[in-house]
Amino acid sequence: MQFVAFNDLSPALRQAAWQLYETSFPDYERRSRPAQQAALGDSLAHGDLLIDEEGRLAALCFYWTRADLLYVEFLAVDPAIRGRQLGSRIVNDLLARYPGYTVVLEIEPPEDELTCRRLRFYERLGFRANDFPYTHPSYRTGAAAHPHRLVVMSHGDVLTPDRRKEFLALMRDVVLRYAD
């Protein structure tokens, strides 16, 4: 398995990445293709894809870095090969490549079997749920807007009030510029 930057993909792998992105996240939790493509053109945005030995897309991770803060925005593994520790590999790779960074991500509130499993997955990787109310603004505007409640998780320890402000500023000032 190897990591490849989204912008370095062949057309076939890029199409597979778009399909994985669109099937892994509901409309209100993701941008349109043009808006996501624009976001990936931002110097703070990163798109890493995990490619298997046969040259097929296995997983994707879209994330942002600003100063020493890393926000994992989207992480998805091909459903046909889940359970092979690929999500853990991606997260551990990010942690190794960005030592000293505060790593933050969001998950749905743990309310059913799937969302509770997701919480436990990130806890096993060293993330902790932050105990503050958080509503993710919608990536869609107008009638399609759908803000939704999420749980903010951070690696190692919960966010200090200053780190929380930095995360919220990254969201407001950078990430959400690419809403459509």
Side-chain angles (χ1 to χ4, degrees):
M1 299 255 179
Q2 67 175 340
F3 286 98
V4 176
F6 181 85
N7 292 328
D8 295 338
L9 294 176
S10 68
L13 280 173
R14 186 179 294 253
Q15 181 59 30
W18 285 127
Q19 288 174 340
L20 179 58
Y21 172 69
E22 291 170 349
T23 59
S24 297
F25 305 97
D27 284 346
Y28 67 87
E29 284 187 9
R30 62 178 163 79
R31 297 178 186 89
S32 66
R33 280 189 193 191
Q36 183 63 28
Q37 186 67 51
L40 287 169
D42 191 298
S43 63
L44 302 177
H46 309 272
D48 291 346
L49 292 294
L50 191 58
I51 308 301
D52 71 12
E53 293 79 10
E54 287 80 40
R56 295 177 305 222
L57 176 70
L60 65 80
C61 183
F62 296 153
Y63 60 99
W64 299 82
T65 56
R66 183 182 195 184
D68 62 348
L69 179 67
L70 187 152
Y71 164 55
V72 178
E73 185 175 30
F74 299 106
L75 174 63
V77 175
D78 181 336
I81 55 173
R82 284 189 185 144
R84 296 184 188 174
Q85 309 278 324
L86 298 179
S88 297
R89 179 175 177 181
I90 291 170
V91 171
N92 286 325
D93 180 76
L94 284 175
L95 294 170
R97 284 192 288 152
Y98 294 93
Y101 276 61
T102 298
V103 179
V104 179
L105 54 85
E106 306 147 324
I107 63 169
E108 300 92 343
E111 298 171 340
D112 58 29
E113 182 182 342
L114 177 64
T115 56
C116 287
R117 273 196 350 242
R118 190 168 291 128
L119 172 68
R120 289 189 303 273
F121 166 77
Y122 286 114
E123 286 175 337
R124 283 192 305 273
L125 292 171
F127 285 83
R128 294 186 52 195
N130 286 263
D131 189 24
F132 62 87
Y134 176 71
T135 300
H136 189 287
S138 182
Y139 287 124
R140 306 300 173 130
T141 58
H146 189 281
H148 49 286
R149 189 171 63 92
L150 293 175
V151 174
V152 175
M153 298 191 78
S154 49
H155 189 262
D157 207 349
V158 295
L159 298 176
T160 64
D162 286 342
R163 286 310 247 175
R164 183 181 336 159
K165 287 179 188 174
E166 290 174 28
F167 166 66
L168 295 173
L170 173 65
M171 294 298 294
R172 179 189 66 242
D173 300 339
V174 179
V175 175
L176 291 168
R177 280 193 316 218
Y178 299 98
D180 59 342

